[in-house]
Amino acid sequence: MPVHRPGPVRPRRVLLAGLLLAALSLVLAVPASAADIPARGSARMGMGVAAHDGSGGTPSSADATQTEGVDVSGHQGNVAWSTLWSSGVRWAYTKATEGTYYTNPYFTQQYNGSYNVGMIRGAYHFATPDTTSGATQANYFVDHGGGWSRDGKTLPGVLDIEWNPYGAACYGKSASGMVSWIADFLNTYRARTGRDAVIYTATSWWSDCTGNYGGFASSNPLWIARYASTAGTLPAGWGYYTMWQYTSSGPTVGDHDKFNGALDRVQALANG
């Protein structure tokens, strides 16, 4: 009885299989994060919070001793300020600058629009410590919307210092190097405006990237970032927060905040 023997494997099939495996290995070798790096200038306050610290809810109830606020950037475009005012928002911060290469194209509508409906408002700078010095960025910020005036409606500028969306989380700096960069920014801002800037950060980033340095707490108000029902543990030195960004998924504008005090305390910070 004849026995059926399989024929030889065709060389073409072997070649195709090899090519497919090689292509697949190249795809897998490309870091997934490479495609996730945003365009320079698109960073905004809190964009790394949920990814690094998670999101665990919102404050359980309204607190009469706290005042609702929002923070916005070019990401939001033109903002419906009258809607926010009607919902109880009484203060706002607008992104003015990033590094020394970006100014928010919606800054005028956002900064002046919040003021025009009656809000107390201020500006913030997204720091990129790997691009230029702290002093250089503080000057750029003041020169492009980050100044301060004693008009009772303008809050001091904010240094937004958090995870690097474009690369290494701590911008390639040691803890001491980061502290020096921040001090350079803060000292320059004070020299230019007469006000101590607010520091916006997350406790986990601050701990990792500054060694949980506590030396700024006596002068610079803290704006803590944590998407949870409480603000949680604060960075070293600060016994309380002045502001708390508690969600990135609020109504009208995603980023909503609490000021740790009634409206008269917001006014007191504005007046210096």
Side-chain angles (χ1 to χ4, degrees), residues 87-111:
S87 72
V89 173
R90 292 295 178 263
W91 59 275
Y93 267 97
T94 295
K95 180 182 177 181
T97 51
E98 177 180 322
T100 53
Y101 50 79
Y102 173 85
T103 58
N104 177 6
Y106 294 94
F107 181 77
T108 299
Q109 192 276 344
Q110 295 175 348
Y111 191 71

Side-chain angles (χ1 to χ4, degrees), residues 1-198:
M1 181 176 181
V3 177
H4 176 73
R5 299 182 184 277
V9 176
R10 297 180 181 178
R12 186 176 178 182
R13 291 182 179 177
V14 174
L15 177 62
L16 288 172
L19 289 172
L20 287 172
L21 287 172
L24 181 60
S25 65
L26 286 173
V27 170
L28 293 175
V30 176
S33 60
D36 298 331
I37 297 175
R40 282 277 177 181
S42 63
R44 58 190 183 274
M45 186 176 277
M47 70 183 299
V49 173
H52 290 88
D53 286 349
S55 182
T58 57
S60 58
S61 62
D63 188 334
T65 64
Q66 294 196 332
T67 308
E68 191 76 7
V70 296
D71 58 272
V72 298
S73 68
H75 177 70
Q76 276 86 18
N78 291 324
V79 174
W81 290 111
S82 58
T83 301
L84 285 165
W85 177 266
S86 297
S87 72
V89 173
R90 292 295 178 263
W91 59 275
Y93 267 97
T94 295
K95 180 182 177 181
T97 51
E98 177 180 322
T100 53
Y101 50 79
Y102 173 85
T103 58
N104 177 6
Y106 294 94
F107 181 77
T108 299
Q109 192 276 344
Q110 295 175 348
Y111 191 71
N112 293 342
S114 54
Y115 179 94
N116 289 338
V117 298
M119 293 183 192
I120 302 172
R121 50 82 160 105
Y124 78 85
H125 173 79
F126 192 95
T128 56
D130 57 338
T131 59
T132 47
S133 71
T136 300
Q137 292 192 31
N139 281 318
Y140 186 80
F141 177 44
V142 174
D143 291 341
H144 295 87
W148 175 78
S149 59
R150 193 183 297 274
D151 60 3
K153 298 294 290 291
T154 303
L155 293 160
V158 172
L159 171 63
D160 177 1
I161 187 80
E162 57 178 292
W163 295 277
N164 178 10
Y166 310 117
C170 299
Y171 300 87
K173 291 192 174 294
S174 65
S176 61
M178 183 62 75
V179 169
S180 295
W181 191 97
I182 294 170
D184 196 28
F185 183 101
L186 297 176
N187 291 338
T188 303
Y189 187 83
R190 180 172 178 79
R192 287 289 308 273
T193 67
R195 291 299 307 271
D196 288 305
V198 175

Side-chain angles (χ1 to χ4, degrees), residues 46-59 163 204 225-230 244-250 254-256:
M47 70 183 299
V49 173
H52 290 88
D53 286 349
S55 182
T58 57
W163 295 277
S204 59
R226 187 168 188 256
Y227 302 161
S229 58
T230 67
W244 167 27
Q245 186 189 57
Y246 67 88
T247 184
S248 61
S249 56
D255 295 348
H256 274 246

